[in-house]
Amino acid sequence: MRPAIDGARLIARLKELGETGRDTEGRLCRLAGSDADKAGRDLLCRWMHAAGLRVEIDRIGNIHGLWQPGGAEGDPVMIGSHIDTVIDAGIYDGCLGVLAGLAVIEAMQAAGIRPSHPLALVAFTNEEGVRYAPDMMGSLVAAGGMEVAEALATIGTDASTLGAELARIGYAGEREPGFLTPRAFLELHVEQGPVLEAGALQVGVVDTLQGISWQRVTIGGTANHAGTTPMALRRDAGVAAARVVTFLDRLARGTAGAVATVGTLRLAPDAINVIPASAVFTVDLRNPDDACLRDLEAALETCLDELRAEGLAVTTEPLARFAPVRFDPGIVATIEEAATERRLTWHRMTSGAGHDAQMMARVAPSAMIFVPSRDGISHNPAEFTDDSALVIGADLLLDVAGRLCR
Ligand code: HGY
Ligand code: MN
Ligand code: MN
């Protein structure tokens, strides 16, 4: 019997998980290591246990659900993503990939499939990096790109420590990160961009993922009286920050494939009649070409040097830097074959967003499948993908996993 995804159950779980970890204002905020994250993790573990998976947590809190039916030997085919979210998130980012992976295993079980290799489902810790930088942290540690001790010692935006928070919520596991070496890694994800919808395409076959550079910039000026200080005598950290923000916007708009975002900005002392003494903000630069990404970073540094020359104290702190990634051509071809066999409309594309697959590509042949995002919106409660598109993506994931498990 050909296995098929239980679409109704997948959608129901996405909605149930989507209601888990909302704050007092009703916003979805399952930040890594938080009580809200624990609630989502507990729900996922319940579903994994109910599916008969062996649940193992590693030291950075990555949750693994292992299915090794009789006759399945060797390294597992791994399907993964994340269930932590940004602030005021949508319900599909990451969660689709984890819950579709669970649905794939359950579909194989229901159809009596006997895979030659085990399957491992993984929900990685702190993919979003909102509370603790860098992002994709759990998969980065699992792929050997960051020492687990360093990751656990990471100080959050709220002065908490990731390791203490994971212990507090009961997800400081025992297994060493990377205790599983997947024979292949697959991730299904909503596109979070406008390309598939604009092209009326059902599926994206993701063969590359752009480079990412994150840093925190601190600008020191001089607090002074808003009323008595002549403009020529000011060292206004707020104006300096605004100059950097507009510089980056112009730079990115004039550079092929570039995007630049200042997503956080804090002024101190944050008073209506005090010239800001300091501005602390983050810079997110991305580009599919690493040399171009380096040019963007260099241009930012030149802009900051101009502020230094004007007497402002400017320091930077690197938070993340990941080069562009090319996924495994063999798995990309397998996804294309399976999509063609299902007569889906698809095309190859680059991921604008970071994903756990980009870290797992360091240790295993990896690739991704995208399904369309309505109006290209994500990291926003308006994030939406049609139920039918979600199931199409999960069924394709099932086909590809089946081919890789044979
Ligand atoms: O930042 C990203 O691209 C991902 O959502 N963590
Ligand atoms: Mn994601
Ligand atoms: Mn995200």
Side-chain angles (χ1 to χ4, degrees):
M1 165 183 148
R2 179 174 189 170
I5 293 292
D6 181 336
R9 182 168 55 184
L10 172 61
I11 304 303
R13 284 174 174 164
L14 267 169
K15 291 195 167 103
E16 185 174 351
L17 184 54
E19 286 310 307
T20 306
R22 289 190 178 270
D23 67 13
T24 49
E25 296 163 57
R27 304 178 310 166
L28 187 57
C29 294
R30 287 202 301 270
L31 301 188
S34 65
D35 290 333
D37 186 25
K38 171 178 174 50
R41 287 167 169 265
D42 291 350
L43 182 58
L44 174 63
C45 287
R46 276 205 302 279
W47 286 332
M48 284 182 167
H49 284 298
L53 306 188
R54 193 173 86 242
V55 179
E56 303 225 29
I57 317 287
D58 70 17
R59 292 178 56 205
I60 194 64
N62 295 325
I63 300 171
H64 305 73
L66 305 171
W67 181 49
Q68 182 157 7
E73 300 295 332
D75 292 333
V77 171
M78 186 178 278
I79 301 173
S81 196
H82 63 96
I83 61 168
D84 68 303
T85 75
V86 295
I87 298 167
D88 201 7
I91 69 169
Y92 303 95
D93 178 356
C95 301
L96 172 63
V98 173
L99 296 182
L102 179 57
V104 162
I105 293 175
E106 290 169 325
M108 288 185 178
Q109 291 171 336
I113 301 287
R114 313 295 290 168
S116 312
H117 304 286
L119 276 100
L121 171 65
V122 185
F124 291 105
T125 295
N126 190 33
E127 189 278 344
E128 292 294 0
V130 167
R131 189 182 184 195
Y132 305 100
D135 55 350
M136 288 76 72
M137 189 188 279
S139 48
L140 178 63
V141 171
M146 183 178 193
E147 289 302 319
V148 62
E150 180 191 358
L152 293 171
T154 304
I155 305 295
T157 51
D158 54 3
S160 64
T161 305
L162 177 56
E165 284 293 88
L166 286 174
R168 184 183 65 80
I169 67 169
Y171 282 92
E174 307 273 313
R175 297 306 300 264
E176 278 307 311
F179 73 93
L180 285 178
T181 305
R183 57 186 290 108
F185 179 84
L186 294 172
E187 182 169 5
L188 171 63
H189 206 288
V190 288
E191 180 203 340
Q192 303 179 292
V195 171
L196 292 177
E197 185 180 62
L201 295 158
Q202 291 171 298
V203 163
V205 182
V206 186
D207 63 348
T208 51
L209 188 150
Q210 69 176 342
I212 301 175
S213 164
W214 280 7
Q215 51 188 308
R216 180 178 294 117
V217 180
T218 301
I219 297 179
T222 305
N224 213 325
H225 195 297
T228 59
T229 311
M231 296 307 285
L233 299 182
R234 295 179 178 213
R235 293 175 71 251
D236 186 330
V239 170
R243 283 167 58 185
V244 179
V245 172
T246 49
F247 168 80
L248 287 172
D249 185 64
R250 263 198 319 274
L251 175 70
R253 289 174 190 279
T255 308
V259 286
T261 310
V262 174
T264 69
L265 170 60
R266 284 197 320 275
L267 298 179
D270 195 20
I272 187 168
N273 56 0
V274 179
I275 298 168
S278 84
V280 181
F281 56 95
T282 51
V283 176
D284 177 324
L285 300 171
R286 308 203 192 190
N287 195 285
D289 177 284
D290 203 36
C292 192
L293 185 58
R294 292 199 186 288
D295 290 345
L296 295 173
E297 291 168 318
L300 169 60
E301 199 49 37
T302 303
C303 174
L304 299 179
D305 280 341
E306 284 168 16
L307 297 176
R308 293 182 181 110
E310 293 171 24
L312 290 148
V314 181
T315 56
T316 60
E317 177 196 355
L319 298 176
R321 195 189 195 285
F322 302 123
V325 165
R326 179 165 297 285
F327 287 125
D328 179 79
I331 298 192
V332 168
T334 304
I335 298 171
E336 289 172 346
E337 284 157 26
T340 303
E341 195 178 283
R342 279 189 176 265
R343 302 193 192 298
L344 299 176
T345 54
W346 58 268
H347 91 143
R348 281 194 186 197
M349 59 194 296
T350 290
S351 173
H355 295 289
D356 292 308
Q358 77 186 88
M359 301 308 175
M360 297 310 290
R362 299 178 182 205
V363 292
S366 305
M368 295 186 72
I369 298 167
F370 276 172
V371 289
S373 294
R374 184 175 63 187
D375 301 331
I377 288 179
S378 184
H379 286 187
N380 180 318
E383 182 181 277
F384 179 79
T385 296
D386 287 328
D387 290 355
S388 57
L390 298 169
V391 178
I392 284 169
D395 270 323
L396 180 58
L397 182 69
L398 172 59
D399 289 355
V400 177
R403 289 167 186 240
L404 296 175
C405 281
R406 272 199 280 278

